[in-house]
Amino acid sequence: MSEVYSKAETLALRRKHIGPSCKVFFAKDPLKIVRAQGQYMFDENGEKYLDCINNVAHVGHSHPDVIKAAVKQMELLNTNSRFLHDNLVQYAKRLTDTMPEKLSVCYFVNSGSEANDLALRLARHFSGHQDVITLDNAYHGHVTSLIDISPYKFNQLGKESKKEFVHVAPSPDTYRGKYREDHLDPAGAYAGEVKKIIEETQKNGRKIAAFIAESMQSCGGQVIPPAGYFQQVAEYVHEAGGVFIADEVQVGFARVGKHFWAFQLQGEDFVPDIVTMGKPIGNGHPMSCVVTTREIAEAFGASGLEYFNTFGGNPVSCAIGLAVLDVIEKEDLQGNATRVGNYLIELLNEQKRKHPLVGDIRGVGLFVGVDLVKDEQKRTPATAEALHLVYKLKERHILLSADGPHRNILKFKPPMSFTREDAEFVVDQIDALLTEMEEATGNKISTNMQCKRKTNEENLQSDCLGESINHVNGNACRQENGFYADNHVVPCKRIRT
């Protein structure tokens, strides 16, 4: 494939013309990706990489049905939503049909950040309040209003960066958080922390406009809230006159398999007041949406301030959105997320039983996190080990990222076309690399550990005996232990994916 510039020239021009805060993956040796198909990406030399992180290409890179829908509509018309067009209302109907009945009104915008910014406007106007409760380690977008409510970002700027109208509740993490898996009622305990914040805020004469949370935290470490948590939080927030915003930008559109939306994992009795979405909605096309109740929408409209978005809801975007919904249904990608996701989690749990570095496996559908630890009992984050693993996987043509507050969580959120064979391939490579790392530090796999993967499609249970009892040395990932090649440098800066 002929390229305009060599990789070196492309990199040099990027350094010259693109802002230095715009980071690239694998800074020491960044990839130049020139095409992609399904769950695979290809560099300028035609080398193929398995994409385990790209939740934007939701139904697969360059899906022909999505491309066809976009081109067909571009040939006819693309204009703003002030003109009547069937695509807008058809897509709004299709989208809201996937949600609880009271979530019936859409505002179409262009990115997850824009959706969350608008959600804050809706909440503040409806409630008449200003303050926002967010979760520790949360990330909701890159515009100023969202950096303000994203501890994942503003904590990097120092203690004084938190605004007085922002209140941070503990992340409902039952592996690393304040209340863990041995707590009798972690959902109630974490919700109680939100209640305390509300009470303290009210004592100080402030009022809550909204509680916002990703339905499952992504950048925060692939955290799955305990069932019942959102219901209790919503009750406290509503009593305070605020609204509940569910951020589905990274986890929506059937990624969890069991449901179309991740907030539905909390149970049928939970319905947020506002839902935001982006990333997978257009399979790479820039579009997003805010869905809310008729009551909130009418209050926003009664302000007298017209809301208009030049590109939001244009005919091409809506045609693409409809095509994505069609592909999810036609190819049973929701079912695939369940089947392949369960298989991936099972394979990773084999590694947990086998390797002391693997502290926790958590996930639903094709949203999975692997928490790497230096010490199983203390759950000491294995940050360097995680970054080393990510770089070594890249050398083996697998693209995976590490994130979370300690950057020790391996994040799986691949295109929904991800297969059982893909899951086996990546886990086999992780197994081999973990074995190398343990051998380099003198921490051997438990001699009692024997794992064999069954090939019977109907029986996904592994025959695993024994438990791993060794701990990885706290200095396991230092360069002198041989984990890194001489020219291999792991950057410490986060890159959000």
Side-chain angles (χ1 to χ4, degrees):
M1 183 174 293
S2 176
E3 297 300 311
V4 176
Y5 304 112
S6 69
K7 179 177 174 179
E9 290 170 332
T10 301
L11 185 58
L13 285 168
R14 181 181 176 113
R15 288 170 175 163
K16 181 178 180 180
H17 296 296
I18 306 302
S21 57
C22 301
K23 304 297 183 182
V24 295
F25 285 127
F26 312 108
K28 183 68 176 178
D29 183 26
L31 288 171
K32 183 176 181 181
I33 297 297
V34 299
R35 68 182 182 92
Q37 187 72 46
Q39 61 272 39
Y40 299 101
M41 305 181 83
F42 299 83
D43 68 13
E44 77 281 11
N45 299 314
E47 295 292 328
K48 181 171 73 172
Y49 293 82
L50 176 61
D51 183 359
C52 298
I53 59 177
N54 213 315
N55 59 333
V56 178
H58 189 62
V59 300
H61 291 280
S62 306
H63 196 288
D65 290 6
V66 178
I67 294 170
K68 182 178 178 181
V71 172
K72 182 178 180 181
Q73 184 56 51
M74 283 182 193
E75 291 175 340
L76 292 174
L77 172 71
N78 197 24
T79 186
N80 65 60
S81 59
R82 290 185 187 272
F83 297 97
L84 291 177
H85 197 279
D86 287 350
N87 285 6
L88 176 66
V89 293
Q90 184 183 5
Y91 185 53
K93 183 180 184 302
R94 284 277 302 277
L95 196 59
T96 55
D97 281 348
T98 67
M99 293 191 159
E101 185 176 359
K102 83 168 192 175
L103 293 168
S104 60
V105 181
C106 299
Y107 295 87
F108 290 104
V109 288
N110 306 292
S111 69
S113 290
E114 196 173 345
N116 281 331
D117 179 77
L118 178 57
L120 288 181
R121 284 183 61 189
L122 291 169
R124 283 171 168 156
H125 183 83
F126 180 75
S127 67
H129 304 160
Q130 176 71 10
D131 289 25
V132 176
I133 301 174
T134 187
L135 293 178
D136 198 13
N137 307 316
Y139 178 81
H140 293 290
H142 61 77
V143 300
T144 300
S145 66
L146 302 177
I147 295 294
D148 286 346
I149 63 166
S150 297
Y152 179 87
K153 286 293 186 182
F154 71 64
N155 280 341
Q156 299 178 48
L157 303 176
K159 294 181 179 179
E160 302 301 318
S161 62
K162 187 175 82 67
K163 301 295 193 295
E164 62 178 353
F165 59 83
V166 176
H167 312 279
V168 180
S171 172
D173 183 348
T174 57
Y175 181 71
R176 291 195 169 278
K178 185 175 182 179
Y179 308 107
R180 300 189 173 184
E181 70 275 4
D182 57 352
H183 193 281
L184 292 177
D185 180 19
Y190 279 116
E193 295 289 330
V194 176
K195 183 178 182 181
K196 290 176 187 176
I197 288 173
I198 293 172
E199 292 171 346
E200 186 65 26
T201 301
Q202 292 172 334
K203 286 179 184 177
N204 294 329
R206 305 191 68 91
K207 295 181 179 179
I208 300 298
F211 172 91
I212 184 169
E214 291 179 274
S215 299
M216 300 188 300
Q217 277 193 306
S218 181
C219 292
Q222 306 294 88
V223 175
I224 303 170
Y229 171 67
F230 281 174
Q231 287 92 327
Q232 295 179 66
V233 169
E235 180 181 345
Y236 299 143
V237 171
H238 289 157
E239 288 175 355
V243 302
F244 193 110
I245 303 171
D247 180 340
E248 293 267 341
V249 170
Q250 298 214 48
V251 297
F253 291 90
R255 177 160 294 278
V256 298
K258 296 178 182 178
H259 303 282
F260 206 82
W261 305 103
F263 72 78
Q264 293 171 317
L265 292 168
Q266 291 283 310
E268 293 182 1
D269 59 334
F270 171 69
V271 180
D273 303 295
I274 301 172
V275 177
T276 61
M277 58 197 73
K279 290 187 185 298
I281 191 173
N283 210 55
H285 179 79
M287 65 182 298
S288 61
C289 186
V290 179
V291 181
T292 190
T293 65
R294 173 63 55 186
E295 183 183 15
I296 291 175
E298 289 183 349
F300 189 58
S303 68
L305 184 66
E306 178 188 3
Y307 180 79
F308 172 67
N309 190 297
T310 302
F311 299 108
N314 69 74
V316 171
S317 293
C318 291
I320 289 170
L322 284 164
V324 170
L325 294 180
D326 287 342
V327 173
I328 292 172
E329 182 177 348
K330 181 176 72 173
E331 299 183 4
D332 188 26
L333 294 183
Q334 185 169 351
N336 188 66
T338 295
R339 293 185 296 271
V340 177
N342 287 346
Y343 186 52
L344 173 61
I345 290 170
E346 180 193 325
L347 297 181
L348 289 169
N349 274 318
E350 288 182 7
Q351 304 310 309
K352 181 179 183 297
R353 291 186 287 268
K354 186 176 180 182
H355 297 287
L357 268 170
V358 181
D360 188 43
I361 306 296
R362 49 185 177 266
V364 184
L366 287 174
F367 181 87
V368 179
V370 181
D371 195 316
L372 298 185
V373 298
K374 295 178 181 179
D375 185 294
E376 291 175 294
Q377 300 304 315
K378 296 179 181 178
R379 302 182 180 181
T380 311
T383 300
E385 290 86 344
L387 293 176
H388 170 74
L389 197 61
V390 165
Y391 267 77
K392 285 297 183 182
L393 285 170
K394 179 244 188 183
E395 293 175 5
R396 299 182 181 211
H397 289 199
I398 296 169
L399 305 182
L400 197 63
S401 64
D403 215 329
H406 306 288
R407 300 189 299 285
N408 69 307
I409 314 295
L410 303 180
K411 296 170 61 174
F412 284 87
K413 43 188 183 61
M416 297 278 279
S417 51
F418 203 71
T419 67
R420 286 170 56 90
E421 291 73 24
D422 296 328
E424 289 178 0
F425 173 59
V426 67
V427 175
D428 283 345
Q429 298 305 311
I430 289 173
D431 182 16
L433 288 168
L434 289 175
T435 300
E436 288 180 9
M437 293 163 74
E438 288 163 348
E439 290 175 348
T441 58
N443 286 277
K444 304 297 184 181
I445 298 171
S446 172
T447 55
N448 293 327
M449 185 65 209
Q450 296 179 353
C451 291
K452 293 182 180 179
R453 185 178 305 152
K454 287 189 181 295
T455 57
N456 187 337
E457 292 287 324
E458 301 301 319
N459 185 1
L460 302 183
Q461 297 301 314
S462 61
D463 294 329
C464 295
L465 302 173
E467 292 293 333
S468 175
I469 59 175
N470 294 321
H471 299 310
V472 175
N473 185 296
N475 296 319
C477 210
R478 289 183 180 171
Q479 193 163 346
E480 61 265 32
N481 283 329
F483 276 14
Y484 301 99
D486 291 340
N487 63 346
H488 193 80
V489 178
V490 177
C492 293
K493 300 248 182 184
R494 299 180 183 179
I495 300 178
R496 180 179 183 265
T497 58

